[in-house]
Amino acid sequence: MDLQILAGKKALAEIQQHGLRPERIKLMVGASGGPKWLMLSRLDQYLSEHFLPQAKQPISLLGSSIGSWRMACYAQEDPLATFKEFENLYTQQRYSAKIKPEEISVYIDKILSKLFSPSRSKYITENPIRKLHIVAVRTRKLLNGRSKFAQGFGLLSAATGNLLSSKAVEALYPRVIISPEKSTAPYFSEPETIELKSENLSKSLVASGAIPMVMEPTKVEGGKDRWYWDGGLVDYHFSGPFNVEDGLVFYPHFFPKITPGWLDKGIPWRKAKAKNYDNVVMLTPSESFIANLPYGKIPDRNDFVNLSNEEREKSWATVLKETDRLVTELHSALEKDGGRSAVMPIESIL
């Protein structure tokens, strides 16, 4: 199959007995990844239209970087229309040959103004059954600079410490959860919080995706007077465990691999633990599906550098068309037996 339905031990047993039921989902997760999210755009649209409307219970939405933008779309009054709009806006990005952070900021503001107007922002932040949790990090006081030197020094210090322990990253860049009523519901721990309001939603989304050395940071109303950066530094693909005792964690992911933190990409021994994914259900494209995409890979930030605008747009359009097959397979699996015969142990990718 091109689409894989993967589940932790507890979730696997439940799906094999009862199928994947929307009413059992208590938390949705969206990973960092920039353009990689295009692998999920059509799945997000399908889930918004055909699957999640059946879930009348409260669902926490947790995301970092582009994952927080996706989760914000799920929290809108009309998620399907918003995802279609987001896909269209995102694929139209064009920059100069040497991309400057200021250029990216201008385009981000354009997307924000269209996707998250004041009325839409108010709906998101007051949505009683889809509560958005945005992950960002902030700098410590001594590293609270936005110059290239300050950014580089902070990243180098975090990367060096991360070789010994992932806790070193959060020591330098504390995790900050921006959510309604300062909720930390998806976590067992109590990270630093900022109350999510309609007035600070846009800045919160900018903060969550502000990649150091690539984009401009921002400050978030209600938080400390610090620069806020990409939440993927601490929660790149979310290694868990997740604070869901009775129910499922639903995790559409763009790649069949979990990398806990952004700085773990070059550390092959840093992996997610199977016990932390006990109640997780993950949807992901297979490696063979990805291998047959243009250039044998999923979209990523390097496409802006390695491809012309025309080449990138053509490649991304092909990827989107190909991912319609993932939607078809998911629909067939759910219609057949609720995914019972398709679900596999998640240990195969951990």
Side-chain angles (χ1 to χ4, degrees):
M1 289 182 64
D2 293 322
L3 177 78
Q4 294 179 318
I5 304 176
L6 305 165
K9 185 177 180 181
K10 185 177 179 180
L12 181 67
E14 176 175 328
I15 294 172
Q16 287 176 333
Q17 183 175 0
H18 302 289
L20 177 57
R21 298 170 292 170
E23 64 268 23
R24 289 290 295 157
I25 296 171
K26 301 299 175 63
L27 171 65
M28 277 191 72
V29 177
S32 301
K36 297 181 180 72
W37 89 273
L38 294 173
M39 294 293 296
L40 300 171
S41 179
R42 301 296 167 85
L43 278 171
D44 284 332
Q45 292 173 40
Y46 172 82
L47 294 169
S48 296
E49 183 177 14
H50 298 288
F51 187 70
L52 288 172
Q54 303 172 53
K56 307 301 182 183
Q57 76 281 4
I59 298 177
S60 294
L61 305 171
L62 175 66
S64 63
S65 195
I66 197 69
S68 69
W69 289 62
R70 289 177 51 236
M71 293 303 110
C73 292
Y74 274 114
Q76 292 229 21
E77 186 173 14
D78 189 346
L80 174 62
T82 307
F83 274 118
K84 288 182 176 180
E85 194 174 1
F86 188 23
E87 178 188 294
N88 183 55
L89 288 167
Y90 197 90
T91 53
Q92 291 179 5
Q93 294 181 77
R94 286 198 170 198
Y95 303 103
S96 59
K98 189 174 182 180
I99 304 175
K100 298 178 181 179
E102 296 81 6
E103 285 184 272
I104 301 175
S105 294
V106 169
Y107 201 86
I108 286 175
D109 288 342
K110 176 183 176 181
I111 296 179
L112 284 168
S113 65
K114 293 191 175 184
L115 288 184
F116 306 110
S117 63
S119 60
R120 286 180 168 186
S121 295
K122 181 176 173 61
Y123 186 90
I124 290 169
T125 55
E126 296 179 1
N127 191 329
I129 62 170
R130 301 289 185 263
K131 291 186 178 293
L132 179 61
H133 296 71
I134 298 172
V135 183
V137 301
R138 65 167 176 84
T139 52
R140 294 290 186 184
K141 187 174 183 179
L142 292 177
L143 295 174
N144 193 42
R146 55 183 297 174
S147 68
K148 291 293 185 181
F149 175 80
Q151 293 180 52
F153 181 76
L155 282 179
L156 180 61
S157 301
T160 302
N162 190 51
L163 292 172
L164 299 175
S165 171
S166 59
K167 294 181 180 179
V169 180
E170 193 170 355
L172 291 171
Y173 295 96
R175 177 188 287 107
V176 181
I177 308 302
I178 310 168
S179 59
E181 301 174 346
K182 297 186 175 183
S183 167
T184 60
Y187 292 86
F188 284 103
S189 61
E190 292 290 335
E192 187 174 314
T193 57
I194 297 174
E195 184 173 4
L196 181 65
K197 299 179 179 180
S198 58
E199 295 82 6
N200 68 3
L201 173 63
S202 289
K203 290 294 186 182
S204 300
L205 292 171
V206 170
S208 184
I211 305 168
M213 307 297 288
V214 176
M215 299 169 66
E216 294 183 306
T218 190
K219 294 184 178 181
V220 181
E221 180 184 345
K224 294 181 181 293
D225 185 21
R226 302 284 190 274
W227 293 111
Y228 287 78
W229 296 96
D230 195 329
L233 279 168
V234 292
D235 284 324
Y236 189 51
H237 293 169
F238 293 93
S239 59
F242 303 100
N243 186 20
V244 174
E245 293 185 6
D246 180 24
L248 299 175
V249 178
F250 193 46
Y251 189 173
H253 194 32
F254 45 72
F255 195 76
K257 181 181 179 181
I258 299 296
T259 303
W262 188 56
L263 294 170
D264 294 328
K265 290 186 285 186
I267 306 178
W269 61 86
R270 190 68 55 73
K271 299 179 180 180
K273 299 177 181 178
K275 66 178 182 179
N276 290 348
Y277 277 68
D278 194 42
N279 56 354
V280 174
V281 182
M282 181 176 286
L283 306 179
T284 178
S286 67
E287 290 191 9
S288 60
F289 176 82
I290 293 171
N292 287 313
L293 293 176
Y295 309 103
K297 67 177 190 63
I298 64 180
D300 59 41
R301 286 191 295 112
N302 291 326
D303 292 348
F304 288 105
V305 177
N306 298 331
L307 303 175
S308 67
N309 287 322
E310 293 76 15
E311 289 171 333
R312 186 186 71 252
E313 290 167 2
K314 181 180 179 180
S315 171
W316 286 6
T318 301
V319 167
L320 287 167
K321 183 177 180 180
E322 289 298 305
T323 58
D324 284 335
R325 302 208 319 260
L326 303 179
V327 173
T328 300
E329 287 196 1
L330 175 61
H331 180 75
S332 296
L334 293 175
E335 286 288 299
K336 178 182 178 181
D337 56 10
R340 290 179 179 86
S341 57
V343 67
M344 301 182 297
I346 204 169
E347 285 82 356
S348 61
I349 68 166
L350 299 180

